[in-house]
Amino acid sequence: MDLTESDVHSFIVKLWFEAGGGEAAQTDWHGHITHVPDGARRYLQELDDIVEFIEPYVRAAGGVPAKRTRFRRWLRRWK
């Protein structure tokens, strides 16, 4: 398959973890996702925010995101 750059969307997801305060050994996570071609960035509060950020790019390219994709299942395992 020969793809042009206009057909390709790259995203960078950065997550970092910090030990939470308090008695329980809780680890808080923070992160953001960036769309590489246009530099748009969204800070993440939940892992589902990743899918919500990517979906408009899929729709703009003519795709229809499936309700249960492999990516969504992968994200659910992280929770």
Side-chain angles (χ1 to χ4, degrees):
M1 179 186 307
D2 187 26
L3 297 174
T4 64
E5 282 301 310
S6 63
D7 295 332
V8 176
H9 293 274
S10 298
F11 299 89
I12 297 173
V13 177
K14 291 188 178 183
L15 301 174
W16 58 95
F17 302 89
E18 299 175 1
E23 295 178 18
Q26 179 181 349
T27 301
D28 296 326
W29 68 273
H30 305 277
H32 58 78
I33 182 170
T34 305
H35 180 242
V36 175
D38 67 12
R41 177 178 287 177
R42 177 176 177 175
Y43 287 89
L44 305 170
Q45 295 179 344
E46 298 180 6
L47 292 176
D48 285 339
D49 293 344
I50 296 170
V51 174
E52 290 176 17
F53 183 83
I54 292 173
E55 278 182 347
Y57 294 99
V58 173
R59 291 184 192 284
V64 178
K67 294 281 184 191
R68 297 194 57 91
T69 63
R70 186 181 308 175
F71 183 68
R72 282 187 189 268
R73 288 190 300 272
W74 177 81
L75 282 177
R76 284 197 176 87
R77 285 190 294 231
W78 270 78
K79 289 184 179 181

